[in-house]
Every structure is written in structure tokens, then in C-alpha cells.
């Protein structure tokens, strides 16, 4: 018989369960990356909504001012505005407050909706719930961009669009975290979710590049194209998402599968025998592992009941019940301050780069992606360290301790040139995004499967929503405060961010 090709041998070396698990990992990664892809355009377009025409082409503006009548001014430019040529109403002197209000509208709605989303998500099929959220999010993201094509200059229109978009986007996070946690056990959870959580940075990078491509020529497409991508991924979600391993008769946890498969099964049976003899209560995930062969059941005197796999008989946890889980309140408050810092960078970094390094909106948007590149490495590093130390809180505390002085250095040397800005963007991204990524993924999943729940998997979405919802309160406050403080100088914005990092560390 001919020897199988290397590629085929590689494929068959993985079990059916492992292939499905890899598929869910990639699918949920892409689904939530598309959510972040749709959030990024507003930060890129800010520089276009309020442009300094005199700074770009002072001579041309001066010439036009002598030869054009007031009635010849474009409809989105005020005749008495001699220095700005932005998109009304964002071409006014208080443009920073108006842009900050847009961010606040989205994030405040997101924070409020998140508390409800987890409770609703526990009681609805994840696939349907997530599909609805992605289709609706795509529609309202595109609606913001239609304001360009229909020449809409009503501030209320853009605010309402942001509010509704913030509400429907809350369907995403509890759904994908619950789905991923259903498929992966606690082993190496920090590393797995650290890699998986890079979807945030990947989505931000793609959103920046897509929005930046059209921002200077037709900024409406900077929203319509990401909106279409989110809606398309919603259809993919409906067609392919598998909520739980039991839906296709897969094991609930990671299992060993190698050439020594039979030896591995023998070891598992030995381990089961030893554990049963010790008469100790087993962790629900270990119970699943011991029964994963599907052929041998425990002795009658050691019957194992898995509420997580018989979910229909277990009631979803209440909001107050989730708050009583040890660590939920503490990590929620920590994330409030950590997310305040992260989302301030998300929504205001391109504009800061435009003002400090004097770049146009497209180049500033492209440069801001380096912060997200640093965030990818920071999230993975935080996951690896927390797995090794088995201490999530200590890992977060160490990175927060380093982040505060790094932000001060960033505010000081980023004005010295482009090279300094690039280096500090990478470092700041790693230290700011590391704790944020760890809390929203591995910590949330740990608390959602806490031993006090006695195997009740119906708490995961609620716990995740509470933690991320509280963090979203900080995410709403950060950009708002940045909009209020930036007119008095960007240094004050960085002082606010350092104070928030210190508060997160203390919590």
C-alpha cells in the first residue's frame, strides 16, 4: 500500500472534535472582528468632518476668499467660517464636544444595553441572537454613511444612528464569549483567549485601512463598506455557527488525540479510577473529560450529573445572582477604568496624531493601527503569563503598573517626531490592551464557570455582559472626557488616562 501524502497525514492526525473546535475558533474570531471593524471608521472620519483648509492650502483659500461671494460657499461650509471646511455641523468651533458626543452616544447606549443583552442572550439561541445583531449593526453603520450621500447635516440624525447602533452591537460580545467557552475548557484558557482576543485589534486595523481608503474622497463609503461586511458576516453566522459541542455530538472539552490514542484512553480510564477512589468532588469540566469516550460510564455509586450538558433543566442565573459570584464586582470596576483608557485611544488617537504630527486623516488612520498591533502582542502576552502564574489579577496589575508611566512618556516624546510616535504606539498598545483583553476573555470565562455555580453554564453570558457592560461605562466616559479636555491641551487628556490606569490598579 502506498504511503499517504504528508498533507493527508497531517489532516487525519487531528480528531473530528479538534477540527470543529478550530472552525469555531476561527469563525467567532471573524464574527467579532467585523463588529470592531464597524466601530473604527468614526475615529478615522473625525479628521475629515472637521478640516483646517487654511492649514492645507492657505494661498488657495485666501485667493478664493477675494473672488467668491458668500453664496458660492459649499452647502456644508458656513460663510463666516474662514479657517474650517468640514462637514456641518462639525465645522464649528465646538467640534470636539460634538464629536465627543457622538462617541458618548454610542458607548453609553452600548453600556446600558450590555446589561440587558446578557440576560436576553441566556434565554435565546445564540445563533439567532447574534445574526440579528450583526444584520442590524450593519444597517445602522451604513446609515451613518448615507448622511454623506443625502447631504444630511442634522446632528440629531448622527446621534440617533449611533445610539441604535450601540444597542444592537451589544448582542456580539456575550454571544461569542459564551460560544467559545462552550467549546474550550479551562486548560490554557489564557493563551487561547489571548490569541482569540486579537480579533479586537485585527478588526480595528482593518476598519482603519478600509475607512482610510475613502476618507479623503468619499467618507460615506468609510461607513457603508464596513456595514456591508458586518451584515455579510451575520449571514455567515446564521449558516455556520454551532453553539455547543453537544449539538453535533462532540466532547465538551479539549481531549488528547495523537498516534498513541489507545494509550491516551487507557491513561484517562486510570485517572478516572484514581479520582473515583479518592471520592473527591470533580470539576464539571474534568467530569466531561472522563466521559468523553462515550463508551464507558461511571460506576453506579459514582454517577456524574452535568447540568451544563442538560441545559434545558437548569434555570438561567439572575442579575443579582451573577453579582454574588466572587470577583465579578472587582474585575468589573477594574475593567471600567481599563476600558476607559483603551477606548479613548480607539476613538481619539487618529485625531491626536493629526494634530501632533500634522498628518492628513488617511495617514493618521494608518499610523494609528500600530497601537492595535501592539495590542495583539499585549493580549497574547497577558494570556501566557496568567496561565503560567495562574494569577489573572496579578498579571493585570503588573501591566497596569507599567502602563501609567508609559502613557506619560508617550505624551512627552510623541511630539519629537514620527519615529518616536511609532515606538510608543506599539509599547502603549501592548500595555493598555493586555489587561483589557485578559479581563474581557479569560477572566470573564473563569468567573462564568466559577465553582460556586456548580456546573451551571447558563451564567456565562450574564457574567460576561455584567463585566463588559461595566467596562463600557468607562468606555463611554473616556472619549467624552477627551472631547472636553482636549481644547485645553492634549496633556490634560493624558493625565486623565494615567489617573484612570492608577484607579484600575488600585481596584
Amino acid at each position: 500500500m502506498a504511503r499517504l501524502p504528508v498533507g493527508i497525514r497531517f489532516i487525519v492526525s487531528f480528531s473530528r472534535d479538534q477540527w470543529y473546535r478550530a472552525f469555531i475558533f476561527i469563525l467567532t474570531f471573524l464574527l467579532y472582528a467585523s463588529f470592531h471593524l464597524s466601530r473604527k471608521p468614526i475615529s478615522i472620519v473625525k479628521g475629515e468632518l472637521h478640516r483646517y483648509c487654511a492649514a492645507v492650502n492657505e494661498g488657495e483659500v485666501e485667493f478664493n476668499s477675494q473672488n467668491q461671494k458668500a453664496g458660492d460657499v459649499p452647502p456644508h461650509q458656513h460663510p463666516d467660517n474662514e479657517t474650517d471646511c468640514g462637514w456641518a455641523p462639525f465645522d464649528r468651533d465646538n467640534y470636539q464636544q460634538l464629536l465627543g458626543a457622538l462617541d458618548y452616544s454610542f458607548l453609553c447606549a452600548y453600556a446600558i444595553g450590555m446589561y440587558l443583552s446578557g440576560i436576553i442572550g441566556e434565554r435565546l439561541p445564540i445563533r439567532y441572537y447574534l445574526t440579528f445583531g450583526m444584520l442590524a449593526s450593519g444597517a445602522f453603520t451604513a446609515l451613518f454613511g448615507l448622511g454623506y450621500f443625502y447631504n444630511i447635516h442634522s446632528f440629531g440624525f448622527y446621534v440617533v444612528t449611533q445610539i441604535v447602533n450601540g444597542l444592537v452591537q451589544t448582542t456580539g460580545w456575550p454571544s461569542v464569549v459564551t460560544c467559545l467557552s462552550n467549546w474550550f475548557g479551562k486548560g490554557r484558557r489564557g493563551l487561547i483567549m489571548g490569541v482569540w482576543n486579537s480579533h479586537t485589534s485585527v478588526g480595528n486595523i482593518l476598519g482603519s485601512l478600509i475607512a482610510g481608503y475613502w476618507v479623503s474622497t468619499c467618507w460615506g463609503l468609510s461607513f457603508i463598506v464596513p456595514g456591508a461586511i458586518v451584515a455579510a458576516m451575520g449571514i455567515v453566522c446564521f449558516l455556520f455557527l454551532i453553539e455547543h459541542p453537544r449539538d453535533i455530538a462532540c466532547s465538551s472539552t479539549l481531549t488528547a488525540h495523537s498516534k498513541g490514542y489507545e494509550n491516551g484512553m487507557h491513561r484517562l480510564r486510570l485517572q478516572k479510577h484514581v479520582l473515583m477512589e479518592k471520592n473527591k468532588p470533580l470539576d464539571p469540566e474534568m467530569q466531561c473529560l472522563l466521559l468523553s469516550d462515550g463508551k464507558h460510564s461511571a460506576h453506579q455509586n459514582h454517577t456524574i450529573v452535568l447540568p451544563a450538558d442538560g441545559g434545558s433543566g437548569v434555570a438561567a442565573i439572575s442579575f443579582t445572582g451573577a453579582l454574588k459570584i466572587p470577583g465579578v464586582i472587582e474585575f468589573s470596576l477594574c475593567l471600567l477604568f481599563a476600558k476607559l483608557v483603551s477606548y479613548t485611544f480607539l476613538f481619539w488617537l487618529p485625531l491626536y496624531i493629526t494634530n501632533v504630527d500634522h498628518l492628513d486623516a488617511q495617514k493618521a488612520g494608518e499610523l494609528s493601527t500600530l497601537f492595535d498591533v501592539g495590542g495583539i502582542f499585549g493580549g497574547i502576552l497577558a494570556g501566557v503569563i496568567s496561565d503560567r502564574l495562574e494569577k489573572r489579577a496579578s498579571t493585570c496589575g503588573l501591566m497596569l503598573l507599567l502602563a501609567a508611566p508609559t502613557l506619560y512618556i508617550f505624551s512627552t516624546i510623541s511630539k519629537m517626531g514620527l519615529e518616536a510616535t511609532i515606538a510608543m504606539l506599539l509599547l502603549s498598545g501592548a500595555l493598555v490592551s493586555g489587561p483589557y483583553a485578559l479581563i474581557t476573555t479569560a477572566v470573564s470565562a473563569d468567573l462564568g464557570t466559577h465553582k460556586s455555580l456548580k456546573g451551571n453554564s447558563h451564567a456565562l453570558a450574564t457574567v460576561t455582559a455584567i463585566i463588559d457592560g461595566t467596562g463600557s461605562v468607562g468606555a463611554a466616559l473616556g472619549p467624552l472626557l477627551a472631547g472636553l479636555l482636549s481644547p485645553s491641551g492634549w496633556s490634560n487628556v493624558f493625565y486623565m488616562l494615567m489617573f484612570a490606569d492608577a484607579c484600575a490598579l488600585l481596584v
Side-chain angles (χ1 to χ4, degrees):
M1 179 179 286
R3 185 178 175 85
L4 289 174
V6 176
I8 299 299
R9 292 205 306 271
F10 175 79
I11 292 174
V12 299
S13 66
F14 295 96
S15 67
R16 172 178 176 269
D17 289 8
Q18 288 171 326
W19 278 115
Y20 270 111
R21 193 166 281 110
F23 172 74
I24 294 299
F25 182 95
I26 296 172
L27 179 59
T28 53
F29 181 98
L30 295 176
L31 292 178
Y32 205 72
S34 66
F35 271 113
H36 264 267
L37 181 148
S38 69
R39 296 177 193 176
K40 189 65 177 179
I42 185 64
S43 67
I44 305 299
V45 175
K46 280 178 180 176
E48 188 67 19
L49 294 177
H50 184 89
R51 285 189 298 138
Y52 286 92
C53 293
V56 176
N57 198 342
E58 186 175 356
E60 182 179 347
V61 173
E62 184 177 352
F63 175 79
N64 289 338
S65 65
Q66 296 174 356
N67 293 279
Q68 285 186 329
K69 297 179 181 180
D72 296 330
V73 179
H76 61 272
Q77 179 181 352
H78 290 288
D80 60 347
N81 196 336
E82 299 178 355
T83 58
D84 305 328
C85 63
W87 183 268
F90 305 104
D91 55 350
R92 302 171 186 169
D93 292 336
N94 65 334
Y95 73 98
Q96 290 165 311
Q97 286 80 4
L98 294 177
L99 293 173
L102 282 184
D103 299 337
Y104 184 74
S105 300
F106 175 88
L107 294 168
C108 190
Y110 186 86
I112 295 172
M114 186 61 76
Y115 289 110
L116 300 175
S117 181
I119 298 174
I120 298 173
E122 296 284 11
R123 292 158 175 82
L124 294 177
I126 292 176
R127 183 165 62 94
Y128 296 150
Y129 188 55
L130 186 55
T131 299
F132 163 77
M134 299 190 77
L135 292 175
S137 178
F140 283 97
T141 300
L143 183 62
F144 194 102
L146 290 177
Y148 173 86
F149 294 99
Y150 288 95
N151 206 28
I152 299 175
H153 300 283
S154 169
F155 181 66
F157 168 81
Y158 297 107
V159 168
V160 171
T161 302
Q162 288 288 83
I163 290 174
V164 180
N165 198 10
L167 288 174
V168 296
Q169 286 218 3
T170 60
T171 60
W173 189 244
S175 300
V176 293
V177 172
T178 300
C179 184
L180 191 75
S181 297
N182 288 339
W183 280 88
F184 291 87
K186 292 184 178 180
R188 297 176 311 198
R189 179 174 277 172
L191 173 60
I192 291 171
M193 288 197 161
V195 175
W196 178 76
N197 194 65
S198 62
H199 56 53
T200 300
S201 298
V202 171
N204 291 341
I205 292 171
L206 292 176
S208 298
L209 296 177
I210 293 172
Y213 184 80
W214 283 288
V215 64
S216 299
T217 55
C218 181
W219 64 259
L221 289 176
S222 297
F223 290 91
I224 292 177
V225 174
I229 293 175
V230 176
M233 290 304 298
I235 297 174
V236 172
C237 171
F238 179 79
L239 294 175
F240 296 103
L241 185 67
I242 306 170
E243 301 177 17
H244 200 284
R246 66 169 177 263
D247 296 337
I248 53 172
C250 282
S251 63
S252 299
T253 54
L254 290 166
T255 56
H257 182 83
S258 62
K259 294 180 180 178
Y261 180 78
E262 291 299 326
N263 291 335
M265 290 307 304
H266 178 67
R267 285 195 299 271
L268 288 178
R269 290 167 189 161
L270 277 177
Q271 185 179 10
K272 179 174 73 173
H273 180 69
V274 172
L275 288 171
M276 294 304 178
E277 283 186 348
K278 290 184 178 179
N279 242 348
K280 291 184 178 179
L282 297 178
D283 182 83
E285 292 185 356
M286 182 58 72
Q287 295 168 359
C288 291
L289 180 62
L290 298 182
L291 294 176
S292 62
D293 57 358
K295 298 178 181 178
H296 298 269
S297 59
H299 190 271
Q300 187 175 0
N301 294 334
H302 304 284
T303 302
I304 297 172
V305 180
L306 294 176
D309 288 338
S312 59
V314 182
I317 195 171
S318 65
F319 184 86
T320 54
L323 288 177
K324 294 178 182 178
I325 299 174
V328 168
I329 294 178
E330 293 88 338
F331 277 108
S332 296
L333 294 175
C334 181
L335 185 62
L336 185 151
F337 295 106
K339 205 167 182 178
L340 183 154
V341 178
S342 181
Y343 268 66
T344 301
F345 275 96
L346 174 67
F347 283 92
W348 285 92
L349 182 58
L351 186 61
Y352 171 75
I353 294 174
T354 299
N355 292 344
V356 173
D357 293 314
H358 308 291
L359 301 175
D360 60 30
Q362 181 177 357
K363 292 181 180 178
E366 294 172 352
L367 187 61
S368 69
T369 61
L370 293 177
F371 182 84
D372 296 299
V373 172
I376 294 175
F377 293 104
I380 296 174
L381 181 63
V384 171
I385 294 175
S386 67
D387 279 343
R388 288 288 183 89
L389 300 179
E390 297 183 353
K391 294 180 179 179
R392 310 284 194 211
S394 299
T395 304
C396 291
L398 177 62
M399 299 188 82
L400 289 169
L401 182 64
L402 297 174
T406 301
L407 291 176
Y408 177 78
I409 297 172
F410 182 23
S411 67
T412 303
I413 72 171
S414 60
K415 302 173 184 178
M416 298 179 181
L418 199 58
E419 295 78 6
T421 301
I422 291 174
M424 294 311 301
L425 280 173
L426 291 170
L427 182 59
S428 300
L431 294 176
V432 168
S433 301
Y436 163 45
L438 188 61
I439 295 172
T440 53
T441 54
V443 170
S444 296
D446 288 346
L447 295 176
T449 55
H450 195 268
K451 61 183 180 181
S452 64
L453 297 171
K454 299 179 181 178
N456 181 5
S457 64
H458 288 262
L460 187 54
T462 302
V463 170
T464 301
I466 289 174
I467 293 176
D468 198 53
T470 306
S472 297
V473 174
L477 291 175
L480 177 67
L481 293 175
L484 297 174
L485 295 174
S486 55
S488 62
W490 286 104
S491 297
N492 293 329
V493 176
F494 278 94
Y495 289 141
M496 179 266 292
L497 296 179
M498 287 184 282
F499 177 75
D501 256 328
C503 291
L505 178 61
L506 289 175
V507 174

